Coordinates of all heavy atoms in Angstrom, one line a residue:
M62 N 13.6 -28.7 8.2 CA 12.5 -28.8 7.2 C 13.0 -29.4 6.0 O 14.1 -29.0 5.4 CB 11.9 -27.4 7.0 CG 10.5 -27.4 6.4 SD 9.8 -25.8 6.3 CE 8.4 -26.0 7.4
S63 N 12.3 -30.4 5.4 CA 12.8 -31.0 4.2 C 12.6 -30.1 3.0 O 11.8 -29.2 3.0 CB 12.1 -32.4 4.0 OG 10.7 -32.1 3.6
T64 N 13.2 -30.5 1.9 CA 13.0 -29.8 0.6 C 11.6 -29.8 0.2 O 11.0 -28.8 -0.3 CB 13.9 -30.4 -0.5 OG1 15.3 -30.3 0.0 CG2 13.8 -29.7 -1.8
N65 N 10.9 -31.0 0.3 CA 9.5 -31.1 -0.1 C 8.6 -30.1 0.8 O 7.7 -29.5 0.3 CB 9.0 -32.5 0.1 CG 9.5 -33.4 -1.0 OD1 9.9 -32.9 -2.1 ND2 9.5 -34.7 -0.8
E66 N 8.9 -30.1 2.1 CA 8.2 -29.2 3.0 C 8.4 -27.7 2.6 O 7.5 -26.9 2.6 CB 8.5 -29.4 4.4 CG 8.0 -30.8 5.0 CD 8.6 -31.1 6.3 OE1 9.8 -30.8 6.6 OE2 7.8 -31.6 7.2
L67 N 9.6 -27.4 2.3 CA 10.0 -26.0 1.8 C 9.3 -25.7 0.5 O 8.7 -24.6 0.4 CB 11.5 -25.8 1.7 CG 12.3 -25.8 3.0 CD1 13.8 -25.8 2.7 CD2 11.9 -24.6 3.9
N68 N 9.3 -26.6 -0.4 CA 8.6 -26.4 -1.7 C 7.1 -26.1 -1.4 O 6.5 -25.2 -2.0 CB 8.8 -27.6 -2.6 CG 10.1 -27.6 -3.2 OD1 10.8 -26.6 -3.3 ND2 10.6 -28.8 -3.6
T69 N 6.5 -27.0 -0.6 CA 5.0 -26.8 -0.3 C 4.8 -25.5 0.4 O 3.8 -24.8 0.0 CB 4.6 -28.0 0.6 OG1 4.8 -29.2 -0.1 CG2 3.1 -27.8 1.0
T70 N 5.6 -25.1 1.3 CA 5.5 -23.8 2.0 C 5.6 -22.6 1.1 O 4.8 -21.7 1.1 CB 6.5 -23.7 3.2 OG1 6.3 -24.8 4.1 CG2 6.4 -22.4 3.9
A71 N 6.6 -22.7 0.2 CA 6.8 -21.6 -0.7 C 5.6 -21.5 -1.7 O 5.1 -20.4 -2.0 CB 8.1 -21.7 -1.5
R72 N 5.2 -22.6 -2.2 CA 4.0 -22.6 -3.2 C 2.7 -22.1 -2.5 O 2.0 -21.3 -3.1 CB 3.8 -24.0 -3.7 CG 4.8 -24.4 -4.8 CD 4.4 -25.7 -5.5 NE 5.6 -26.3 -6.1 CZ 6.2 -27.4 -5.7 NH1 5.7 -28.1 -4.6 NH2 7.2 -27.9 -6.3
T73 N 2.5 -22.5 -1.3 CA 1.4 -22.0 -0.5 C 1.4 -20.5 -0.3 O 0.4 -19.8 -0.4 CB 1.3 -22.8 0.9 OG1 1.2 -24.2 0.6 CG2 0.0 -22.3 1.6
L74 N 2.6 -20.1 0.0 CA 2.8 -18.6 0.2 C 2.5 -17.9 -1.1 O 1.8 -16.9 -1.1 CB 4.3 -18.3 0.6 CG 4.6 -16.8 0.7 CD1 3.7 -16.1 1.7 CD2 6.1 -16.7 1.1
L75 N 2.9 -18.4 -2.2 CA 2.7 -17.7 -3.5 C 1.2 -17.7 -3.8 O 0.6 -16.8 -4.3 CB 3.4 -18.4 -4.6 CG 5.0 -18.2 -4.6 CD1 5.7 -19.1 -5.6 CD2 5.3 -16.7 -4.7
E76 N 0.5 -18.8 -3.5 CA -1.0 -19.0 -3.7 C -1.7 -18.0 -2.8 O -2.7 -17.3 -3.3 CB -1.4 -20.4 -3.4 CG -1.0 -21.4 -4.4 CD -1.3 -22.8 -4.0 OE1 -2.0 -23.0 -3.0 OE2 -0.9 -23.8 -4.7
V77 N -1.3 -17.9 -1.6 CA -2.0 -16.9 -0.6 C -1.8 -15.5 -1.1 O -2.7 -14.7 -1.1 CB -1.5 -17.2 0.8 CG1 -1.9 -16.0 1.7 CG2 -1.9 -18.5 1.3
R78 N -0.6 -15.2 -1.5 CA -0.3 -13.8 -2.1 C -1.2 -13.5 -3.3 O -1.7 -12.4 -3.4 CB 1.2 -13.6 -2.4 CG 2.0 -13.5 -1.1 CD 3.5 -13.3 -1.5 NE 4.3 -13.0 -0.3 CZ 5.6 -13.0 -0.3 NH1 6.3 -13.1 -1.4 NH2 6.3 -12.8 0.8
A79 N -1.4 -14.5 -4.1 CA -2.2 -14.3 -5.3 C -3.7 -14.1 -4.9 O -4.4 -13.3 -5.5 CB -2.1 -15.5 -6.2
Q80 N -4.1 -14.8 -3.9 CA -5.5 -14.6 -3.4 C -5.6 -13.3 -2.8 O -6.7 -12.6 -3.0 CB -5.8 -15.7 -2.3 CG -5.9 -17.1 -2.9 CD -6.0 -18.2 -1.8 OE1 -5.9 -17.9 -0.6 NE2 -6.2 -19.4 -2.2
I81 N -4.6 -12.8 -2.0 CA -4.6 -11.5 -1.4 C -4.7 -10.4 -2.5 O -5.5 -9.5 -2.4 CB -3.4 -11.2 -0.6 CG1 -3.5 -12.1 0.7 CG2 -3.2 -9.7 -0.2 CD1 -2.2 -12.1 1.5
A82 N -3.9 -10.6 -3.6 CA -4.0 -9.6 -4.7 C -5.4 -9.6 -5.4 O -5.9 -8.5 -5.7 CB -2.9 -9.9 -5.8
Q83 N -6.0 -10.8 -5.5 CA -7.3 -10.8 -6.1 C -8.3 -10.2 -5.2 O -9.2 -9.4 -5.6 CB -7.7 -12.3 -6.3 CG -9.0 -12.5 -7.0 CD -9.3 -14.0 -7.2 OE1 -8.5 -14.9 -6.9 NE2 -10.5 -14.2 -7.8
L84 N -8.2 -10.4 -3.9 CA -9.2 -9.8 -2.9 C -8.9 -8.3 -2.9 O -9.9 -7.5 -2.8 CB -9.0 -10.4 -1.5 CG -9.5 -11.8 -1.4 CD1 -9.1 -12.4 -0.1 CD2 -11.0 -11.9 -1.6
Q85 N -7.7 -7.8 -3.0 CA -7.4 -6.4 -3.0 C -8.1 -5.7 -4.2 O -8.6 -4.6 -4.2 CB -5.9 -6.1 -3.0 CG -5.3 -6.3 -1.6 CD -3.8 -6.1 -1.5 OE1 -3.1 -6.4 -2.5 NE2 -3.3 -5.6 -0.4
A86 N -8.0 -6.4 -5.4 CA -8.6 -5.9 -6.6 C -10.1 -5.8 -6.4 O -10.8 -4.8 -6.8 CB -8.2 -6.7 -7.8
E87 N -10.7 -6.8 -5.8 CA -12.1 -6.8 -5.6 C -12.5 -5.7 -4.6 O -13.5 -5.0 -4.8 CB -12.5 -8.2 -5.0 CG -14.0 -8.4 -4.8 CD -14.4 -9.8 -4.3 OE1 -13.6 -10.7 -4.5 OE2 -15.5 -9.9 -3.8
A88 N -11.7 -5.5 -3.6 CA -12.0 -4.4 -2.6 C -11.9 -3.1 -3.3 O -12.7 -2.2 -3.0 CB -11.0 -4.5 -1.4
E89 N -11.0 -2.9 -4.2 CA -10.9 -1.6 -4.9 C -12.1 -1.4 -5.8 O -12.6 -0.3 -5.9 CB -9.6 -1.6 -5.8 CG -8.3 -1.4 -5.0 CD -7.1 -1.4 -5.8 OE1 -7.1 -1.0 -7.0 OE2 -6.0 -1.8 -5.3
A90 N -12.6 -2.5 -6.5 CA -13.8 -2.3 -7.3 C -15.0 -2.0 -6.5 O -15.8 -1.1 -6.9 CB -14.0 -3.6 -8.1
L91 N -15.1 -2.6 -5.3 CA -16.2 -2.3 -4.4 C -16.1 -0.9 -3.9 O -17.1 -0.1 -3.8 CB -16.3 -3.3 -3.2 CG -16.6 -4.7 -3.6 CD1 -16.4 -5.7 -2.5 CD2 -18.0 -4.9 -4.2
T92 N -14.9 -0.4 -3.6 CA -14.7 0.9 -3.1 C -15.1 1.9 -4.2 O -15.8 2.9 -4.0 CB -13.2 1.1 -2.8 OG1 -12.9 0.3 -1.7 CG2 -12.9 2.6 -2.4
D93 N -14.7 1.6 -5.5 CA -15.1 2.5 -6.6 C -16.6 2.6 -6.8 O -17.1 3.6 -7.1 CB -14.4 2.0 -7.9 CG -12.9 2.2 -7.9 OD1 -12.4 3.0 -7.1 OD2 -12.2 1.6 -8.7
T94 N -17.3 1.5 -6.5 CA -18.7 1.5 -6.6 C -19.3 2.4 -5.6 O -20.2 3.2 -5.9 CB -19.3 0.0 -6.4 OG1 -18.7 -0.8 -7.5 CG2 -20.8 0.0 -6.5
L95 N -18.8 2.3 -4.3 CA -19.4 3.2 -3.3 C -19.0 4.7 -3.6 O -19.9 5.5 -3.4 CB -18.8 2.8 -1.9 CG -19.4 1.5 -1.3 CD1 -18.6 1.1 -0.1 CD2 -20.8 1.6 -1.0
K96 N -17.8 4.9 -4.0 CA -17.4 6.3 -4.4 C -18.3 6.8 -5.5 O -18.7 8.0 -5.5 CB -16.0 6.3 -4.8 CG -15.0 6.2 -3.7 CD -13.6 6.3 -4.2 CE -12.5 6.2 -3.1 NZ -11.1 6.2 -3.7
G97 N -18.6 6.0 -6.5 CA -19.5 6.4 -7.6 C -20.9 6.7 -7.1 O -21.5 7.7 -7.6
A98 N -21.4 6.0 -6.1 CA -22.7 6.3 -5.6 C -22.6 7.6 -4.8 O -23.6 8.4 -4.9 CB -23.1 5.1 -4.6
M99 N -21.5 7.9 -4.2 CA -21.4 9.1 -3.4 C -21.4 10.3 -4.4 O -22.0 11.3 -4.2 CB -20.1 9.1 -2.6 CG -20.2 8.2 -1.4 SD -18.6 8.0 -0.7 CE -19.0 8.0 1.0
V100 N -20.6 10.2 -5.5 CA -20.6 11.2 -6.5 C -22.0 11.4 -7.1 O -22.4 12.6 -7.3 CB -19.5 10.9 -7.6 CG1 -19.7 11.8 -8.8 CG2 -18.1 10.9 -7.1
E101 N -22.6 10.3 -7.5 CA -23.9 10.4 -8.1 C -24.9 11.1 -7.1 O -25.8 11.9 -7.6 CB -24.4 9.0 -8.4 CG -25.7 9.0 -9.2 CD -26.1 7.5 -9.5 OE1 -25.2 6.8 -10.1 OE2 -27.3 7.2 -9.3
A102 N -24.8 10.8 -5.8 CA -25.7 11.4 -4.8 C -25.3 12.8 -4.4 O -26.0 13.5 -3.7 CB -25.8 10.5 -3.6
G103 N -24.0 13.2 -4.8 CA -23.5 14.5 -4.4 C -23.3 14.6 -2.9 O -23.4 15.6 -2.2
R104 N -22.8 13.4 -2.3 CA -22.6 13.4 -0.8 C -21.3 12.9 -0.5 O -20.6 12.2 -1.2 CB -23.7 12.4 -0.2 CG -25.1 12.9 -0.5 CD -26.1 11.9 0.0 NE -26.0 11.6 1.4 CZ -26.6 10.6 2.1 NH1 -27.4 9.9 1.4 NH2 -26.4 10.4 3.3
E105 N -20.8 13.3 0.7 CA -19.5 12.9 1.2 C -19.6 11.7 2.2 O -18.6 11.2 2.7 CB -18.8 14.0 1.9 CG -18.3 15.2 1.0 CD -17.6 16.3 1.8 OE1 -17.8 16.4 3.0 OE2 -16.8 16.9 1.1
E106 N -20.9 11.4 2.5 CA -21.1 10.3 3.5 C -22.3 9.5 3.0 O -23.3 10.0 2.6 CB -21.3 10.9 4.8 CG -21.6 9.8 5.9 CD -21.8 10.4 7.3 OE1 -21.1 11.4 7.6 OE2 -22.6 9.9 8.0
L107 N -22.2 8.2 3.2 CA -23.3 7.2 2.9 C -23.4 6.3 4.2 O -22.3 6.0 4.7 CB -23.1 6.4 1.7 CG -23.1 7.0 0.3 CD1 -22.8 6.0 -0.8 CD2 -24.5 7.7 0.1
T108 N -24.6 6.0 4.5 CA -24.7 5.0 5.6 C -25.7 3.9 5.2 O -26.5 4.1 4.3 CB -25.3 5.8 6.9 OG1 -26.5 6.4 6.6 CG2 -24.3 6.8 7.4
G109 N -25.6 2.8 5.9 CA -26.5 1.7 5.6 C -26.6 0.9 6.9 O -26.4 1.4 8.0
D110 N -27.0 -0.3 6.8 CA -27.3 -1.2 7.9 C -26.0 -1.7 8.5 O -25.4 -2.6 8.1 CB -28.2 -2.4 7.4 CG -28.6 -3.3 8.6 OD1 -28.6 -2.8 9.7 OD2 -29.0 -4.4 8.3
G111 N -25.5 -0.9 9.5 CA -24.3 -1.3 10.2 C -23.0 -0.8 9.6 O -21.9 -1.3 9.9
W112 N -23.1 0.1 8.6 CA -21.9 0.6 8.0 C -22.0 2.1 7.7 O -23.1 2.6 7.5 CB -21.5 -0.2 6.7 CG -22.6 -0.1 5.6 CD1 -23.7 -0.9 5.5 CD2 -22.6 0.9 4.6 NE1 -24.4 -0.5 4.4 CE2 -23.8 0.6 3.8 CE3 -21.8 2.0 4.2 CZ2 -24.2 1.4 2.7 CZ3 -22.2 2.7 3.1 CH2 -23.3 2.4 2.4
R113 N -20.9 2.7 7.5 CA -20.8 4.2 7.1 C -19.6 4.4 6.3 O -18.5 3.9 6.6 CB -20.8 5.0 8.4 CG -20.7 6.5 8.1 CD -20.7 7.3 9.3 NE -19.4 7.3 10.0 CZ -18.7 8.4 10.3 NH1 -19.2 9.6 10.0 NH2 -17.5 8.3 10.9
A114 N -19.7 5.1 5.2 CA -18.6 5.4 4.3 C -18.5 6.9 4.2 O -19.5 7.6 4.0 CB -18.8 4.7 3.0
T115 N -17.3 7.4 4.3 CA -17.1 8.8 4.1 C -16.0 9.0 3.0 O -15.1 8.1 2.9 CB -16.6 9.6 5.4 OG1 -15.4 9.0 5.9 CG2 -17.7 9.5 6.4
W116 N -16.1 10.0 2.3 CA -15.0 10.3 1.2 C -14.9 11.9 1.2 O -15.7 12.5 0.6 CB -15.5 9.7 -0.1 CG -14.4 9.8 -1.2 CD1 -13.1 9.8 -1.0 CD2 -14.7 9.8 -2.6 NE1 -12.5 9.8 -2.2 CE2 -13.4 9.8 -3.2 CE3 -15.8 9.8 -3.4 CZ2 -13.3 9.9 -4.6 CZ3 -15.7 9.9 -4.7 CH2 -14.4 9.9 -5.3
K117 N -13.9 12.4 1.9 CA -13.8 13.8 2.0 C -12.4 14.2 1.7 O -11.4 13.5 1.8 CB -14.1 14.2 3.5 CG -15.4 13.8 4.0 CD -15.6 14.2 5.4 CE -17.0 13.8 5.9 NZ -17.2 14.2 7.3
N118 N -12.2 15.5 1.3 CA -10.9 16.1 1.1 C -10.3 16.3 2.5 O -10.9 16.7 3.4 CB -11.0 17.4 0.4 CG -11.4 17.3 -1.0 OD1 -11.1 16.3 -1.7 ND2 -12.1 18.2 -1.6
V119 N -9.0 16.0 2.6 CA -8.2 16.2 3.8 C -7.0 17.0 3.4 O -6.2 16.6 2.5 CB -7.8 14.9 4.4 CG1 -7.0 15.1 5.7 CG2 -9.0 14.0 4.8
S120 N -6.8 18.1 4.1 CA -5.6 19.0 3.9 C -4.5 18.6 4.9 O -4.7 18.3 6.0 CB -5.9 20.4 4.0 OG -6.9 20.8 3.1
S121 N -3.2 18.6 4.4 CA -2.1 18.4 5.3 C -0.9 19.2 4.8 O -0.9 19.6 3.6 CB -1.8 16.9 5.3 OG -1.3 16.4 4.1
S122 N 0.1 19.3 5.6 CA 1.3 20.0 5.3 C 2.4 19.1 5.5 O 2.6 18.5 6.6 CB 1.4 21.3 6.1 OG 2.6 21.9 5.9
R123 N 3.3 18.9 4.5 CA 4.4 17.9 4.5 C 5.7 18.6 4.1 O 5.7 19.5 3.3 CB 4.1 16.7 3.7 CG 2.9 16.0 4.1 CD 2.5 14.9 3.2 NE 1.2 14.4 3.6 CZ 0.9 13.1 3.6 NH1 1.8 12.2 3.2 NH2 -0.3 12.7 3.9
F124 N 6.7 18.1 4.6 CA 8.1 18.6 4.3 C 8.4 18.1 2.9 O 8.4 16.9 2.6 CB 9.1 18.0 5.3 CG 10.5 18.5 5.1 CD1 10.8 19.8 5.3 CD2 11.5 17.7 4.6 CE1 12.1 20.3 5.1 CE2 12.7 18.1 4.4 CZ 13.1 19.4 4.7
D125 N 8.8 19.0 2.0 CA 9.2 18.7 0.6 C 10.7 18.4 0.6 O 11.5 19.3 0.4 CB 8.8 19.9 -0.3 CG 9.0 19.5 -1.7 OD1 9.7 18.5 -2.1 OD2 8.5 20.2 -2.6
Q126 N 11.1 17.2 0.8 CA 12.5 16.8 0.9 C 13.2 17.1 -0.5 O 14.4 17.5 -0.4 CB 12.6 15.3 1.2 CG 14.0 14.8 1.3 CD 14.0 13.3 1.7 OE1 13.0 12.8 2.2 NE2 15.1 12.7 1.5
K127 N 12.6 16.8 -1.6 CA 13.2 17.0 -2.9 C 13.6 18.5 -3.1 O 14.7 18.8 -3.5 CB 12.4 16.5 -4.0 CG 12.3 15.0 -4.1 CD 11.5 14.5 -5.3 CE 11.5 13.0 -5.3 NZ 10.7 12.5 -6.5
A128 N 12.6 19.4 -2.8 CA 12.9 20.8 -3.0 C 14.0 21.3 -2.0 O 14.9 22.0 -2.4 CB 11.6 21.6 -2.7
F129 N 13.9 20.8 -0.8 CA 15.0 21.2 0.2 C 16.3 20.7 -0.2 O 17.3 21.5 -0.2 CB 14.6 20.6 1.6 CG 15.6 21.0 2.7 CD1 15.6 22.2 3.3 CD2 16.6 20.1 3.0 CE1 16.5 22.6 4.2 CE2 17.6 20.5 4.0 CZ 17.5 21.7 4.6
Q130 N 16.4 19.5 -0.7 CA 17.7 18.9 -1.2 C 18.2 19.7 -2.4 O 19.4 19.9 -2.5 CB 17.5 17.5 -1.5 CG 18.8 16.8 -1.8 CD 18.7 15.3 -1.8 OE1 17.7 14.7 -1.4 NE2 19.7 14.6 -2.4
A131 N 17.3 20.1 -3.3 CA 17.7 20.9 -4.5 C 18.2 22.3 -4.1 O 19.2 22.8 -4.7 CB 16.6 21.0 -5.4
E132 N 17.6 22.9 -3.1 CA 18.0 24.2 -2.7 C 19.2 24.3 -1.7 O 19.9 25.2 -1.6 CB 16.8 25.0 -2.1 CG 15.8 25.3 -3.1 CD 14.6 26.1 -2.6 OE1 14.7 26.8 -1.6 OE2 13.5 25.9 -3.1
H133 N 19.3 23.2 -0.9 CA 20.3 23.2 0.2 C 21.0 21.8 0.2 O 20.9 21.0 1.2 CB 19.7 23.4 1.5 CG 18.9 24.7 1.6 ND1 19.4 25.9 1.7 CD2 17.5 24.9 1.6 CE1 18.5 26.8 1.7 NE2 17.3 26.2 1.7
P134 N 21.7 21.4 -0.9 CA 22.3 20.1 -1.0 C 23.3 19.8 0.2 O 23.3 18.6 0.7 CB 23.0 20.0 -2.3 CG 23.1 21.5 -2.7 CD 22.0 22.2 -2.0
A135 N 24.1 20.7 0.5 CA 25.1 20.5 1.6 C 24.4 20.2 2.9 O 24.8 19.3 3.7 CB 26.1 21.6 1.7
L136 N 23.5 21.0 3.2 CA 22.7 20.9 4.5 C 22.0 19.5 4.5 O 22.0 18.8 5.5 CB 21.8 22.0 4.7 CG 21.1 22.2 6.1 CD1 22.2 22.2 7.2 CD2 20.3 23.4 6.2
A137 N 21.4 19.2 3.4 CA 20.6 18.0 3.3 C 21.6 16.8 3.5 O 21.2 15.8 4.2 CB 19.9 17.9 2.0
A138 N 22.8 16.9 2.9 CA 23.7 15.8 3.1 C 24.2 15.6 4.5 O 24.4 14.5 4.9 CB 24.9 16.0 2.1
R139 N 24.3 16.7 5.2 CA 24.7 16.6 6.6 C 23.7 15.8 7.5 O 24.1 15.2 8.5 CB 24.8 18.0 7.2 CG 26.1 18.7 7.0 CD 26.3 20.0 7.7 NE 25.8 20.1 9.0 CZ 25.4 21.2 9.6 NH1 25.6 22.4 9.0 NH2 25.0 21.2 10.9
Y140 N 22.5 15.8 7.1 CA 21.4 15.2 7.9 C 20.9 13.9 7.3 O 20.0 13.3 7.9 CB 20.3 16.1 8.2 CG 20.6 17.3 9.1 CD1 21.1 18.5 8.6 CD2 20.6 17.1 10.5 CE1 21.5 19.5 9.5 CE2 21.0 18.1 11.3 CZ 21.4 19.3 10.8 OH 21.8 20.3 11.7
R141 N 21.5 13.4 6.3 CA 21.2 12.2 5.7 C 21.8 11.1 6.5 O 23.0 11.2 6.9 CB 21.7 12.1 4.2 CG 21.1 10.9 3.4 CD 21.5 11.0 2.0 NE 21.0 12.2 1.3 CZ 21.7 13.1 0.7 NH1 23.0 12.9 0.6 NH2 21.1 14.1 0.1
K142 N 21.1 10.0 6.7 CA 21.7 8.9 7.4 C 21.4 7.6 6.7 O 20.3 7.4 6.1 CB 21.3 8.8 8.9 CG 19.9 8.2 9.1 CD 19.7 8.1 10.6 CE 18.3 7.4 10.9 NZ 18.0 7.3 12.3
A143 N 22.4 6.7 6.6 CA 22.2 5.4 6.0 C 21.5 4.5 6.9 O 21.7 4.4 8.1 CB 23.6 4.9 5.6
T144 N 20.7 3.6 6.3 CA 20.0 2.6 7.0 C 20.2 1.3 6.3 O 20.4 1.2 5.1 CB 18.5 2.9 7.2 OG1 17.9 2.9 5.9 CG2 18.3 4.2 7.9
T145 N 20.1 0.2 7.0 CA 20.2 -1.1 6.4 C 19.0 -1.9 6.8 O 18.5 -1.9 8.0 CB 21.4 -1.9 6.9 OG1 22.6 -1.1 6.6 CG2 21.6 -3.2 6.3
T146 N 18.3 -2.5 5.8 CA 17.2 -3.3 6.1 C 17.4 -4.7 5.5 O 18.3 -4.9 4.7 CB 15.9 -2.7 5.4 OG1 16.1 -2.7 4.0 CG2 15.6 -1.3 6.0
T147 N 16.6 -5.6 5.9 CA 16.6 -7.0 5.4 C 15.4 -7.2 4.5 O 14.3 -6.8 4.9 CB 16.6 -8.0 6.5 OG1 17.7 -7.7 7.4 CG2 16.7 -9.4 6.0
R148 N 15.6 -7.7 3.3 CA 14.5 -7.9 2.3 C 14.3 -9.3 2.1 O 15.2 -10.1 1.8 CB 14.8 -7.2 1.0 CG 13.7 -7.3 0.0 CD 14.0 -6.7 -1.3 NE 14.4 -5.3 -1.1 CZ 14.9 -4.5 -2.1 NH1 15.1 -5.0 -3.3 NH2 15.2 -3.3 -1.9
F149 N 13.0 -9.8 2.2 CA 12.7 -11.2 2.0 C 11.8 -11.2 0.7 O 10.8 -10.6 0.6 CB 11.9 -11.8 3.1 CG 11.4 -13.2 2.9 CD1 12.3 -14.2 3.0 CD2 10.1 -13.4 2.7 CE1 11.9 -15.5 2.8 CE2 9.6 -14.7 2.5 CZ 10.5 -15.8 2.5
L150 N 12.2 -12.0 -0.3 CA 11.5 -12.1 -1.5 C 11.3 -13.5 -1.9 O 12.1 -14.4 -1.7 CB 12.3 -11.5 -2.7 CG 12.6 -10.0 -2.6 CD1 13.6 -9.6 -3.7 CD2 11.4 -9.2 -2.6
V151 N 10.1 -13.8 -2.3 CA 9.7 -15.2 -2.8 C 9.0 -14.9 -4.1 O 8.0 -14.1 -4.1 CB 8.9 -16.0 -1.9 CG1 8.5 -17.3 -2.5 CG2 9.6 -16.2 -0.6
G152 N 9.4 -15.6 -5.2 CA 8.7 -15.4 -6.5 C 8.7 -16.6 -7.3 O 9.4 -17.6 -7.0
S153 N 7.9 -16.7 -8.3 CA 7.8 -17.9 -9.1 C 9.0 -17.8 -10.1 O 9.3 -16.7 -10.6 CB 6.5 -17.9 -9.9 OG 5.4 -18.0 -9.0
V154 N 9.5 -18.9 -10.5 CA 10.5 -19.1 -11.5 C 10.1 -20.1 -12.5 O 9.4 -21.1 -12.1 CB 11.9 -19.4 -10.9 CG1 12.4 -18.3 -10.1 CG2 11.9 -20.7 -10.1
Q155 N 10.4 -19.9 -13.7 CA 10.1 -20.9 -14.8 C 11.3 -21.8 -14.9 O 12.4 -21.4 -15.1 CB 9.8 -20.2 -16.1 CG 8.6 -19.2 -16.0 CD 7.3 -19.8 -15.5 OE1 7.1 -21.0 -15.8 NE2 6.5 -19.0 -14.8
P156 N 11.0 -23.1 -14.8 CA 12.2 -24.1 -15.0 C 12.7 -24.2 -16.4 O 12.1 -23.7 -17.3 CB 11.5 -25.4 -14.6 CG 10.1 -25.3 -14.6 CD 9.8 -23.8 -14.6

């Protein structure tokens, strides 16, 4: 791939990521609107023409790693394992 093609590909990727961020912000605003309607109606569920939205409390139980590590540091260290990942980053730079 030529330098020009790489430049075009990277710029397109940055543009697409910007569009995704904009769409995510729009989705969050729309979500907030629906949640506001649910609060106003005092309901955990709304339905419409071909859609249904629910907003309910969900309980779960999770392992508190920080508390365990604070109370049992030696035991926590015995079961810690190192991992290696590959990170790909593309960002804008100012010339």
Side-chain angles (χ1 to χ4, degrees):
M62 197 174 243
S63 72
T64 301
N65 286 340
E66 290 171 320
L67 290 172
N68 286 336
T69 300
T70 299
R72 284 189 201 109
T73 302
L74 175 59
L75 292 172
E76 289 171 8
V77 168
R78 286 182 176 173
Q80 291 170 358
I81 290 169
Q83 183 178 359
L84 289 170
Q85 285 176 328
E87 186 177 339
E89 286 179 30
L91 294 169
T92 297
D93 290 344
T94 299
L95 288 173
K96 286 180 178 179
M99 292 170 140
V100 168
E101 187 176 311
R104 298 176 56 192
E105 292 182 334
E106 181 177 323
L107 291 176
T108 57
D110 187 19
W112 62 273
R113 179 175 77 124
T115 61
W116 189 28
K117 301 177 181 181
N118 290 328
V119 177
S120 297
S121 65
S122 178
R123 297 176 189 220
F124 182 73
D125 188 342
Q126 181 179 342
K127 287 183 181 182
F129 182 80
Q130 189 168 343
E132 291 181 28
H133 307 285
L136 190 56
R139 274 183 43 200
Y140 289 94
R141 189 174 300 125
K142 80 176 182 181
T144 60
T145 302
T146 61
T147 303
R148 182 184 303 171
F149 176 75
L150 299 172
V151 175
S153 298
V154 294
Q155 302 302 329

